[in-house]
Amino acid sequence: MRLATALHGTHTVFGPIIDGALCNVAGDQWGCLADALGDNQRSALEQAAANAERIDVASLVLLPPIPNPRRILCVGLNYTEHAAESDQGRNAAPSEHPVIFTRFASSLVGHDTSIVQPLASTAFDYEGELAVVIGTTARAVSAANAASVIGGYSCFMDGTLRDYQRHTSQFIPGKNFEQSGSFGPWIVTPDEFDHGH
């Protein structure tokens, strides 16, 4: 199932994408798409979608699928070649603990919306990423059970001002300029994928 959030005129709509249309379930049982990803929501979401208003996706402005997430955690230096090119005095050797940084929701736009190249830098770069959307309340989940809390996957463009990223050991300044990255077009639920690949 593909799940999206969008603007229809001045109204925010969200729901499954079926046959080129968004089935708007906004206001049924959920205040936002994140609520519809929660525990045991699949059958209720499918039922609501079957009776929902259908809006042609071509008439919508797609937003980030989760426009106001509770948090966005990113894993940095997550493959050897990128770690080496980004080192700048850091230890690029594999670490037992991942580099984690945050992005703010205001730094993201939706699919087909232009990102903004900040004027503060001439070192604006990009990274294509896989977003993993947690779909249930979870804490201290084991590696063996990690897949059970995934609500879906999406595309993520991690726009980065490399000079600001390298000013200190913290990546956050280079990752959070307004509208410098993108998220979407939609979330694809885990049943569409083989988790091993």
Side-chain angles (χ1 to χ4, degrees):
M1 180 180 287
R2 295 177 179 185
L3 303 166
T5 300
L7 282 177
H8 184 226
T10 58
H11 300 287
T12 300
V13 295
F14 60 86
I17 303 288
I18 301 174
D19 297 328
L22 184 143
C23 303
N24 182 23
V25 299
D28 283 7
Q29 306 170 53
W30 308 284
C32 64
L33 185 57
D35 297 339
L37 289 174
D39 297 330
N40 305 314
Q41 296 291 327
R42 180 64 181 254
S43 61
L45 186 57
E46 288 174 349
Q47 185 176 1
N51 301 312
E53 169 193 17
R54 292 182 178 235
I55 307 167
D56 184 0
V57 171
S59 70
L60 299 172
V61 175
L62 292 172
L63 299 173
I66 308 291
N68 296 300
R70 287 185 61 196
R71 61 185 61 90
I72 302 169
L73 301 176
C74 304
V75 179
L77 306 179
N78 54 350
Y79 58 97
T80 306
E81 190 175 300
H82 181 51
E85 74 181 5
S86 301
D87 193 22
Q88 295 292 309
R90 296 181 182 96
N91 180 4
S95 171
E96 180 181 346
H97 304 287
V99 173
I100 304 291
F101 62 91
T102 58
R103 279 200 77 123
F104 307 133
S106 64
S107 73
L108 302 174
V109 298
H111 179 72
D112 269 348
T113 297
S114 296
I115 59 171
V116 175
Q117 179 174 349
L119 297 175
S121 171
T122 57
F124 190 43
D125 200 359
Y126 63 92
E127 298 173 54
E129 304 287 356
L130 173 68
V132 178
V133 180
I134 305 303
T136 187
T137 302
R139 186 180 179 99
V141 178
S142 69
N145 292 323
S148 70
V149 301
I150 296 174
Y153 303 92
S154 190
C155 299
F156 195 93
M157 199 290 283
D158 184 27
T160 305
L161 280 70
R162 294 292 181 208
D163 47 355
Y164 278 75
Q165 176 186 346
R166 293 174 177 143
H167 284 174
T168 71
S169 61
Q170 299 296 317
F171 289 2
I172 295 170
K175 300 285 188 174
N176 282 288
F177 276 70
E178 196 80 4
Q179 301 178 1
S180 61
S182 64
F183 177 22
W186 37 64
I187 294 169
V188 181
T189 55
D191 56 291
E192 302 282 345
F193 295 94
D194 174 352
H195 280 288
H197 301 284

